[in-house]
Amino acid sequence: MFTNYFKIAVRNLLRYRSYTLINIGGLTLGISCALFIFLIVAHELSYDRYHHKSGRIYRINKGSPGGEFDMGTPRALAPILREEFPEVEEAAVIFKLNPERTQIEIDHQLFRERETYIVEPQFFHLFDFVWLRGNPDKSLDEPNEVVISESMAKKYFKGDPIGKNLRLNNDKDLVVSGIIKDPPANTDFPVQIAIAHAMMDHNRDPKDPPRLDGGSNSFYQTYVLLKENADTKGLEAKFKSMVVRHVSKESAEKFLAFSAQPLTDIHFVMSNFNQRTIARETIRTLSIIGIFILVIGCINFINLASAQAIRRAREVGIRKTLGSTRKSLVFQFLGETFIVTLLSIIFSYIIVNQLTFASKNLTDIPLNPEALSRPETLFFLTALLIVVTFLSGFYPAFILSGFRPAEVLKNWSPVTGIKGLFVRKGLITFQFVISQVLIICTLIAIRQINYFNSRPLGFNKEAVLTTDIPVSKSSQLSSLENNLLQYPEILNVSFSLNTPAAT
C-alpha cells in the first residue's frame, strides 16, 4: 500500500514539475534559514556544557550589598572557601595575563599571546581539558612550570617540547611540563598557555598576606565545584558571615558581598575570558525569526497546494468513484508533501553545510560542518520533517480529499466550492505581515549598524599608530617620548597600559 502511495506521489510530482520545483525551492529556503539559525542557537547554548561537572561549577563574583557584581575576586577567597565551606568540593583560581603586555620568547623570537593564564592545579579538576602529555595533578606544582596547548607546542618547538624552556615577558624562565589539547570553540576558557599559580605565591611578600577585602582584578577569578545536592542559596547566605569573620560586620552590610553564578550562565550575562557574550533575549529572538521564516515557507506550500486543487479535483473525483476513501487520499497527499519536504531538507543540508565554512565571516561564529552530524541536529531535522509535512500537507490534503465525485465530474469549480478560500486569504495576509515585519526590522538593524560604523570617533584613527614597547619605567618612557618627538612625522606621543580599544 505504501509503495503504491509512493509511486503515485512521485508521478504527480513529476507531472506538475513547475509546481513541485516552486514548492521545493520555497521550503528549501525556509528550512535552510531555520537550520542555520538552529546551529547558531545550539552553538551558543552549548558553551562549556561539555564539562562533565558543569552543573555543579559556579563562579564567585564580588560586589557590594544591593549593588552590581564584578567577576574579579581577591586572592584570599579560594583558600577560605576550601577550608570553611563543607559544601565546596573544590575551589580553583584562574588569572588571565594582560593580552596587551604578554610576550613569549623562544630562541630570541618574540610572540604575543592573548590566551595566557595563571592557574591552580585544581582548575583541571573542575574543567575537562584533554591532556596529551603530563599529569594534571603534578604538572603545575612548581613555580616555573607551564602547560601549553597542542597548537602552541607545534608553533614553538620541533619534536618533544616537554622539559624545554620559554621566557615570559623577558623576566621569567618557564619549563614545559605538560601539553593539553586545544580547547573547543564553544568555551569561554580558551587556554593556550597555563602557568603555575605557585609563581604568584613565590613572588608574594610573606609580610603582606592576601586579604578578603583586598584589591581584585576582573581577570583574577575564582570557581568552585559544589558537592552533589549542595544548596546554592545556602552557600550565598554564608558569604555574609564569612565577610563578618574575616573583615567586619560593617563591610558585610555596606561594602563587600559575594555571589555564586552558574558556569552555564557566564556566556550570557557577564563578560568572560573569551570576551564574547550573547544575551538570552537575542537567542530567543533568533529562534522566533527562524520559526517565522519556516512558517512563511509552509504557508507558501499550503497556498500553492490549495491553488492546485483546480487541477486535482477531477483526479480526486475519479479515485473516489473507483473506491478510494478519504483516509487513503489524505495519506496519498501527505505522502507527496513528505517527499517534497524530504528533498527540501536534503538540499537544505547541503546548502547549510557549505554555509558553515563561511559562518565565521558572516556571523563571527565558528560553526563546524560536524555540527550537522550531531544527534541533536539529526533529531531537529527529523522533527522538522514530521512537523513540516503535517503543517504544510494536512490542510491541502484535507481540502483535496473532501471533493464530492458527483460534483467535480460535472465541471464543478473548486474555487467556488472550497469554503477554505477565506483561510487561504488569511494565510496570505499573515505571510505578508511576517515578511514586512522581518524586512522592517532588518532595515532598522542595517541603519543602526551603518550609523555605528560611520559615527565619528573623536579622533583620526588612520593617523594613530599603536606599538608594543618592552620598557615600563617612567624614566625610560620619558626618554623614549623625547626621541620619538624628534621625528617630524610624529605629532604627539602617549603611553598606556592597554590600547584605547582593548578588550
Side-chain angles (χ1 to χ4, degrees), residues 160-228:
D160 187 6
I162 299 296
K164 294 185 178 180
N165 296 328
L166 55 85
R167 191 168 179 81
L168 174 67
N169 293 336
N170 198 31
D171 181 35
K172 296 179 175 65
D173 291 314
L174 305 175
V175 179
V176 178
S177 59
I179 302 173
I180 57 175
K181 192 173 181 180
D182 290 323
N186 58 334
T187 181
D188 289 318
F189 301 89
V191 178
Q192 296 295 332
I193 300 175
I195 303 170
H197 189 272
M199 181 183 72
M200 296 182 68
D201 296 329
H202 183 73
N203 296 331
R204 180 172 56 85
D205 186 353
K207 297 180 181 180
D208 184 24
R211 294 170 51 88
L212 192 61
D213 59 343
S216 60
N217 185 316
S218 59
F219 282 161
Y220 190 95
Q221 301 181 9
T222 303
Y223 292 82
V224 296
L225 173 65
L226 299 186
K227 293 181 180 179
E228 296 283 355

Side-chain angles (χ1 to χ4, degrees), residues 326-363:
R326 185 170 189 179
K327 180 180 178 180
S328 65
L329 289 172
V330 168
F331 274 111
Q332 177 192 325
F333 293 126
L334 283 177
E336 294 179 14
T337 307
F338 177 85
I339 293 174
V340 171
T341 306
L342 180 61
L343 291 174
S344 300
I345 287 178
I346 292 173
F347 291 138
S348 298
Y349 189 96
I350 296 172
I351 292 171
V352 175
N353 182 72
Q354 297 302 312
L355 282 176
T356 55
F357 293 104
S359 64
K360 180 65 177 177
N361 295 328
L362 290 174
T363 63

Side-chain angles (χ1 to χ4, degrees), residues 253-363:
E253 294 176 350
K254 298 181 180 180
F255 307 112
L256 185 60
F258 294 93
S259 66
Q261 182 181 34
L263 173 68
T264 51
D265 286 349
I266 291 175
H267 187 64
F268 307 105
V269 294
M270 294 181 72
S271 60
N272 50 63
F273 291 128
N274 202 26
Q275 296 297 316
R276 182 181 172 279
T277 60
I278 185 170
R280 292 187 184 275
E281 291 77 9
T282 302
I283 292 179
R284 284 193 285 268
T285 301
L286 281 175
S287 302
I288 293 172
I289 290 174
I291 293 173
F292 277 167
I293 293 175
L294 192 62
V295 168
I296 290 174
C298 293
I299 291 175
N300 188 63
F301 185 99
I302 293 171
N303 289 332
L304 287 173
S306 300
Q308 189 75 357
I310 299 175
R311 295 184 178 182
R312 306 293 295 273
R314 291 183 180 277
E315 174 192 342
V316 172
I318 293 174
R319 289 186 180 280
K320 281 194 170 184
T321 302
L322 295 176
S324 292
T325 63
R326 185 170 189 179
K327 180 180 178 180
S328 65
L329 289 172
V330 168
F331 274 111
Q332 177 192 325
F333 293 126
L334 283 177
E336 294 179 14
T337 307
F338 177 85
I339 293 174
V340 171
T341 306
L342 180 61
L343 291 174
S344 300
I345 287 178
I346 292 173
F347 291 138
S348 298
Y349 189 96
I350 296 172
I351 292 171
V352 175
N353 182 72
Q354 297 302 312
L355 282 176
T356 55
F357 293 104
S359 64
K360 180 65 177 177
N361 295 328
L362 290 174
T363 63

Side-chain angles (χ1 to χ4, degrees), residues 375-421:
E376 60 268 22
T377 306
L378 297 178
F379 175 80
F380 173 77
L381 290 175
T382 303
L384 209 60
L385 176 62
I386 297 172
V387 170
V388 173
T389 296
F390 280 92
L391 192 63
S392 301
F394 182 78
Y395 177 71
F398 180 78
I399 293 298
L400 290 170
S401 62
F403 294 154
R404 297 178 180 178
E407 293 178 346
V408 297
L409 294 178
K410 293 180 180 178
N411 293 322
W412 169 80
S413 174
V415 173
T416 58
I418 298 177
K419 296 180 180 180
L421 192 60

